[in-house]
Amino acid sequence: LERFHARQLRVSPHVLGHSKAHVGRVVAELVRAAKAQGLQPGPLALSLRGDFVRIGSAYEQHKVRSPDCFDILVPLRLPPHLEPQPRRADGLGPCGAFVCGLRARDGWTRRCRPFAEGFCVELQGRSHLSSGLVLRWFQGHLQRCLGAVRYRLQERCRVSLSACPGQPPTLHILPCSDYVCCHISMAVRLIPAIPLGDALYLTALPPEGPHGSLAAEALWGLNASRQEQRLLGWLKEQAPAASCHLKCLQILKGLRDLRRHGLEEPFCSQWGRVLSSYLLKTALFSLLLQGPLEAWDERFLVERLEDLVLYLRDCLRKQVLMDFFLGNSSIPEAVALPRFLKEAAPVNLLSAFDGPTLDLVAFQLISTWIQAPHIIRMYSSPRYLRPVPAP
């Protein structure tokens, strides 16, 4: 396991630092240009706030293999009179996720008809901000601003923007050979985000199919990445200096990806969706706070990794793993949580999957752990180490 982590999973801090710095500079240029060329400021405008938020594994020290993919939240500035409304209780939205609508107040759509017609859809007789329409505006707006950025950055790198329907646009950065010592091409997912305050954001839900319903377009997902980063920072301060909790997460993600190669569809896709990186991170958070953090010293790597695997297996068998931040009263007081999260209804991340699927994933998870040395040897050739497309 140590060799597997060192040779295949560990990302060079030097390379990661260069990549993050380069991504930050390019995204800052693009966001600045997009804000400057936005719609005219006013109560009916949709525009960029002018900043961006770095999220995901590359900024949380548990990235695996190569620092070539990054996630960035780009906060938007909205007109007033749109109020968040959690919608899970009335059965709308996908299972296993917290969903929220941004509903217009009574009479607002008549006074602000241009904005309502351009960015809102009807849901249960009320006007709601459409994630699909906002995403399409965001993609087009960035594409229009890319020319100015490309001109300013032409000596440092080549940049381009690609977009798939229903997905956030991806900024592709190819550094010039004489500028960045690492020479890694990078893909940066730019995610439009609606600020709720207290470093909490709403983002568009992934499309459920080729043609999403209007009800799904009127719903947004909750992004608590900043709270996750706060918790990881607190754990780093409280845990031993040589804590292995992030290494455990990296190794488990690496074993999950290797095991994919021996699975057939449709179970291969189900395996990746059930054992998503967010679910693995949630299980790690829950397990970390159950016992003394001193037990996560580097010397006990195999024992803690086995504990994490067994904890996940039990969650899969019980078909219950609650979202760590929603309505959780056991989070340390040092990690300040917004009131919105504290009062939110708890969400079971596994409720979207049926029992037989979760039982099969639990069985394969234990089998993967038992056969880990064999799986690492079998699938460690360059043929198998190519990046797996994200679902």
Side-chain angles (χ1 to χ4, degrees), residues 176-192:
C176 297
S177 58
D178 58 347
Y179 182 72
V180 178
C181 69
C182 306
H183 306 161
I184 294 177
S185 59
M186 292 158 278
V188 186
R189 198 164 56 137
L190 300 172
I191 306 168

Side-chain angles (χ1 to χ4, degrees), residues 120-131:
C120 294
V121 292
E122 292 291 322
L123 179 62
Q124 296 179 338
R126 296 290 295 272
S127 191
H128 288 70
L129 186 70
S130 164
S131 58

Side-chain angles (χ1 to χ4, degrees), residues 16-184:
L16 182 59
H18 270 273
S19 300
K20 289 196 293 188
H22 197 55
V23 165
R25 282 192 290 269
V26 174
V27 172
E29 289 274 4
L30 181 57
V31 168
R32 192 158 43 241
K35 184 188 179 188
Q37 298 182 23
L39 300 179
Q40 292 300 314
L44 305 185
L46 181 63
S47 59
L48 272 63
R49 197 170 69 179
D51 60 333
F52 58 93
V53 182
R54 302 165 175 89
I55 64 169
S57 58
Y59 300 100
E60 296 171 359
Q61 279 69 57
H62 55 86
K63 182 78 174 166
V64 296
R65 295 208 165 88
S66 177
D68 53 357
C69 296
F70 299 83
D71 284 342
I72 301 284
L73 293 182
V74 183
L76 305 181
R77 193 186 301 279
L78 294 179
H81 311 300
L82 288 168
E83 51 192 18
Q85 181 190 32
R87 301 305 301 254
R88 193 70 197 92
D90 52 20
L92 292 173
C95 294
F98 180 93
V99 292
C100 186
L102 283 166
R103 188 178 65 182
R105 294 175 186 169
D106 292 331
W108 181 79
T109 51
R110 289 192 299 273
R111 296 194 303 272
C112 308
R113 188 173 299 277
F115 183 89
E117 290 177 349
F119 296 105
C120 294
V121 292
E122 292 291 322
L123 179 62
Q124 296 179 338
R126 296 290 295 272
S127 191
H128 288 70
L129 186 70
S130 164
S131 58
L133 294 175
V134 169
L135 190 58
R136 283 195 283 277
W137 170 85
F138 181 73
Q139 292 170 347
H141 187 53
L142 289 187
Q143 193 69 57
R144 288 190 295 273
C145 299
L146 190 61
V149 175
R150 186 181 288 123
Y151 174 75
R152 284 202 292 265
L153 298 174
Q154 61 185 353
E155 293 184 359
R156 286 191 272 170
C157 60
R158 294 196 295 272
V159 293
S160 61
L161 198 69
S162 65
C164 297
Q167 299 285 353
T170 300
L171 181 69
H172 301 277
I173 304 172
L174 183 61
C176 297
S177 58
D178 58 347
Y179 182 72
V180 178
C181 69
C182 306
H183 306 161
I184 294 177

Side-chain angles (χ1 to χ4, degrees), residues 298-309:
E298 184 87 34
R299 295 170 295 159
F300 310 118
L301 171 68
V302 175
E303 291 90 336
R304 298 294 78 80
L305 191 49
E306 184 168 285
D307 287 345
L308 182 56
V309 170

